[in-house]
Amino acid sequence: MSYRNDPYDPKQVALLDPAALAEAVADASKAFTAAADPDALTALRPAHLGDRSPLSLARREIGALPPAAKSDAGKRVNEARRAIETAYAERAEVLEREQAERVLVEERVDVTLPYDRRPRGARHPLSALLESISDLFVGMGYEVAEGPEVDLEWVDVDALNIPAGGSPGTFHIAPQRSGLVLRPHTSTVQTRAMLSRTPPIHVIAPGRVYRTGEVDATHSPVFHQVEGLVVDRGSTMAHLRGTLDHVARALFGPEAKTRWRPHHFPFTGPSATIDVWFPEHRDGPRWVEWGGCGMVDPRVLRACGVDPDVYSGFAFGVGIDRTLMVRHGISDIRHLVEGDVRFSRALGAGA
Ligand code: PHE
């Protein structure tokens, strides 16, 4: 490096010249003032306070000065630097405050505005229960199957080995001899599942069913069942029992017990009705009828295209409305069909 003057006068070195330093300070202040927000200000820092800023370059010149001149020059550079740092900090404070104020205005929420005037609905407890039962079976490898609520008499009666005329309480669809019924049970889905699949079959069919009769606290013309059907080589009554006991424990707790009573269904044999033990029933501990089950009748398998010499099957149908009523101590089934949202909310199925 060479300098113009010898003996050395720091004031004559361009970068250390007080006027040049003052100009650097003025430039920096001006630039900082022009910055519109904290980010823009940060972006200016390298140019005015960074390694290659006029100030840093000036500081580097000091080393080359004669000792006598160093302290004077250093003081001036430091002063200039402090001035720029101060200008920076002051501007930063202003910009940060402005930004905070802007956020307060822009993101303001008027808590007095009505947020949602539509009343909130709730999941119906039956839907929630049907779903959790389906989940349970899906976890065991079952598939959820569906069938129509208005179905062919053939599907409901003939294929299920039910005597001509159908089960008592079946709604028939007009006109007479339409061949259509409102399904009185979800067993119609057994027929449809076998017709549309090849074994092994593991299906669960939750759904709405219809039956005529008095409407009272325990009878509604519309109610819900979950049907289960397994068709496989070597399926037995023991598999059926194990499956239903597992489901009962999952739904009603580890202490749940089931009781089987011999029964007759045209589409199964042997057949049974299943009761569940309810220690916490609101009228005291008792057995409550839960549904029907049995080994699929070979005539049903054959009608649905399954060879009974190769495959055997078990099926069950359980009442869901009753399950819910007993679990929650609901005394009137009409609460389940009326659709009052307060009822749904009260049973904890609120969205
Ligand atoms: N469908 C019968 C009912 O509604 C229940 C059932 C289903 C029985 C499957 C046996 C097998 O009562």
Side-chain angles (χ1 to χ4, degrees):
M1 240 180 249
S2 74
Y3 297 100
R4 282 170 291 161
N5 301 304
D6 195 24
Y8 198 80
D9 176 1
K11 293 193 184 76
Q12 289 171 350
V13 172
L15 292 169
L16 289 167
D17 185 307
L21 290 172
E23 198 185 316
V25 173
D27 281 353
S29 308
K30 209 169 126 203
F32 295 163
T33 308
D37 57 55
D39 284 347
L41 182 66
T42 308
L44 291 173
R45 200 179 162 89
H48 299 282
L49 288 161
D51 285 349
R52 308 208 48 79
S53 63
L55 232 57
S56 298
L57 297 177
R59 190 193 296 277
R60 252 175 257 163
E61 302 291 321
I62 294 172
L65 294 179
K70 274 186 185 163
S71 108
D72 197 29
K75 217 187 285 162
R76 259 180 294 128
V77 172
N78 281 345
E79 253 160 34
R81 189 172 178 93
R82 221 173 299 130
I84 295 182
E85 288 280 14
T86 307
Y88 185 90
E90 281 171 355
R91 185 63 184 152
E93 202 190 307
V94 169
L95 289 175
E96 261 148 32
R97 198 173 47 238
E98 280 178 0
Q99 196 181 48
E101 271 158 15
R102 211 163 35 237
V103 166
L104 278 182
V105 172
E106 282 168 8
E107 300 179 8
R108 180 196 182 110
V109 175
D110 183 354
V111 294
T112 64
L113 282 176
Y115 71 100
D116 183 0
R117 287 191 183 275
R118 274 169 299 172
R120 281 273 200 110
R123 300 271 293 139
H124 196 281
L126 276 171
S127 312
L129 180 59
L130 285 171
E131 248 167 50
S132 63
I133 295 177
S134 299
D135 282 351
L136 188 62
F137 278 96
V138 166
M140 296 193 286
Y142 285 58
E143 181 192 344
V144 177
E146 281 182 357
E149 291 175 21
V150 173
D151 212 337
L152 294 169
E153 242 178 336
W154 184 85
V155 169
D156 178 45
V157 178
D158 306 57
L160 289 177
N161 194 40
I162 292 174
S167 341
T170 302
F171 281 105
H172 292 264
I173 302 287
Q176 240 191 348
R177 312 183 69 69
S178 68
L180 293 171
V181 293
L182 267 179
R183 65 179 182 194
H185 52 188
T186 43
S187 298
T188 50
V189 187
Q190 286 189 41
T191 310
R192 290 188 169 273
M194 285 188 270
L195 288 172
S196 58
R197 291 168 177 76
T198 48
I201 297 170
H202 294 79
V203 292
I204 188 86
R208 202 174 284 151
V209 298
Y210 302 84
R211 280 185 212 174
T212 63
E214 273 313 295
V215 178
D216 60 26
T218 53
H219 294 92
S220 155
V222 190
F223 55 105
H224 302 78
Q225 292 185 328
V226 169
E227 192 85 7
L229 171 73
V230 169
V231 179
D232 204 349
R233 290 172 201 267
S235 40
T236 69
M237 202 90 177
H239 297 135
L240 172 58
R241 174 125 214 191
T243 304
L244 288 173
D245 280 349
H246 171 72
V247 173
R249 280 194 297 272
L251 286 181
F252 306 115
E255 309 297 328
K257 286 189 287 189
T258 62
R259 178 176 77 174
W260 291 34
R261 288 179 288 124
H263 198 77
H264 170 76
F265 295 104
F267 32 92
T268 48
S271 307
T273 47
I274 324 147
D275 301 333
V276 181
W277 178 246
F278 268 100
E280 268 124 52
H281 194 280
R282 74 197 145 83
D283 301 325
R286 67 188 53 218
W287 291 101
V288 175
E289 190 175 322
W290 193 30
C293 66
M295 298 305 294
V296 181
D297 192 288
R299 279 168 289 204
V300 173
L301 293 176
R302 215 174 286 121
C304 298
V306 175
D307 184 350
D309 294 329
V310 181
Y311 296 103
S312 56
F314 64 76
F316 56 87
V318 295
I320 297 308
D321 308 71
R322 180 170 306 174
T323 306
L324 195 71
M325 288 172 74
V326 175
R327 268 174 68 172
H328 294 284
I330 301 160
S331 54
D332 195 326
I333 195 171
R334 283 168 289 201
H335 288 313
L336 295 185
V337 286
E338 274 163 1
D340 187 328
V341 74
R342 289 169 299 181
F343 170 79
S344 299
R345 288 211 200 95
L347 289 189

